[in-house]
Every structure is written in structure tokens, then in C-alpha cells.
Amino acid sequence: MSKYQVSPMSRNEIRQYTNKIRGLIGLKSDEFVNAPKLYDTLSVLFSNHGLDFDYTVLPDNDEIFIDKEEAFTNVVTGKIYIKESVMNRACNNSYDRGAFTLIHELGHFFLHYIQLDAKLCRVEDEIDVPAYRDPEWQANAFASEFLMPFVACIDMTPDEIRNTFHVSKKAATIRASEIREEIYGFVDE
């Protein structure tokens, strides 16, 4: 079995990228992202420029999904596949991982499909892929930065992050911890 690595990207580069995207679609740094609405908006925006942003919502038991996969992005075609339950949770604004999952997949779309210079390759199991080259780390960083922008969250508690950006308690706690670590160089437990 093998795993993947991608072209290197730092958290700061991902942050700058997400800030540009937020700016292009008119989202302020302290503004909540309605992920399902964003998907529809991107479909229209891309279509208006002769480009494709394609996603499909499928039944949870569709054979295309493996194990406990909630969604995935085909980085060859750019198409995003989402379980129906995940999209429903995101649509219902239920403060769970639904929105994070949608934006995580959007991260794969932008970072590993749209970027023409991005490289995706398999590596042997014995090779330890550094975080900044791990496609899953990059997509998680994208989702975190896009949903909970650094500048807006600097002085927020996890509860404030959760309530402002409608994310799960776990996502808000991790984000607050990441920000403390980046600013102060450590995490107070």
C-alpha cells in the first residue's frame, strides 16, 4: 500500500490563498461561510467564466465511497463527490463536521486540481511525508483557514469561534490551539 504527497505548501501560503478566494467571492474575514451555498455560487461563477466546478451528492451507501469516507475529490477531473448525509448536515447548519468536510474537499479542488503546478505522487509506506507535503494536511489547513480565518480568530475563545463560524466544537478548539501555537510558540493545555 502507498500514500501520497503533493507539492509543498506552508500554512501561511494556504492562508494567503484562502484569503484571496474569500476576497474574490466577497466574504469578509469575520463572515460565516455557508458551505452548500458557496458550492452553488462557485458553480455559477466558474460557469460564467467557461470553467467547471462540478460536485455530486450521492446516497450514503453508494459504492463509490469507501470505508467511512464522507466525501472525496477526484483530482484528475476536479469532480467532488459528497454523501447525502454530509450535505444535509451542512445545509442544516448543525455545527458539526459537515461544513468542514465540504470546505476540506474544496481545498483538494483548489490546491490539488486547479493549481497547474501542483504535483501529486505516490510514495512508499516507509517514507514519512512531511505535513506541508501531505494532501490531507493541506486540505485540512485550507478548510481551517477558509472557515475560521486567522485574523478574525486571533482573540477568540473556542466557543466564540464555534458560534461565529458555525463549526464543530472540535474544529474550533483545534483552530484556537493552532493560533495560540503560531502566535506564542506553544499551546497551553
Side-chain angles (χ1 to χ4, degrees), residues 150 154 178-186:
F150 181 85
I154 287 176
E178 291 168 346
I179 290 170
R180 282 193 309 272
E181 184 174 9
E182 188 169 335
I183 292 173
Y184 304 112
F186 67 90

Side-chain angles (χ1 to χ4, degrees), residues 88-157:
N88 286 341
R89 288 193 321 265
C91 287
N92 291 334
N93 223 0
S94 59
Y95 288 77
D96 74 353
R97 56 185 288 131
F100 194 92
T101 298
L102 292 183
I103 303 302
H104 171 100
E105 295 307 322
L106 197 59
H108 284 303
F109 177 82
F110 278 111
L111 300 175
H112 309 132
Y113 172 70
I114 288 289
Q115 288 207 82
L116 299 177
D117 61 346
K119 180 180 178 183
L120 174 74
C121 62
R122 288 180 187 247
V123 296
E124 297 300 322
D125 280 340
E126 306 83 51
I127 296 176
D128 192 26
V129 177
Y132 62 90
R133 295 199 68 161
D134 178 344
E136 293 305 311
W137 177 86
Q138 288 184 0
N140 280 336
F142 182 97
S144 180
E145 295 290 342
F146 196 88
L147 286 171
M148 303 164 277
F150 181 85
V151 69
C153 295
I154 287 176
D155 295 321
M156 288 186 176
T157 66

Side-chain angles (χ1 to χ4, degrees), residues 42 58 63 155 160 169:
L42 289 174
L58 297 169
E63 63 189 28
D155 295 321
E160 290 169 329
K169 185 175 183 176

Side-chain angles (χ1 to χ4, degrees), residues 5-17:
Q5 72 177 8
V6 291
S7 301
M9 233 181 156
S10 70
R11 178 172 284 279
N12 194 49
E13 289 171 314
I14 294 169
R15 178 176 301 141
Q16 290 172 14
Y17 197 65

Side-chain angles (χ1 to χ4, degrees), residues 3 6 9 14 18 20 26 30-31 34 38 45 51 59 77 80 84 86 128 145 160 173 179-180 186:
K3 51 188 171 181
V6 291
M9 233 181 156
I14 294 169
T18 60
K20 278 184 187 174
D30 61 349
E31 192 172 348
N34 180 319
L38 176 62
L45 287 174
L51 303 168
T77 66
I80 299 172
E84 188 174 27
V86 173
D128 192 26
E145 295 290 342
E160 290 169 329
T173 301
I179 290 170
R180 282 193 309 272
F186 67 90

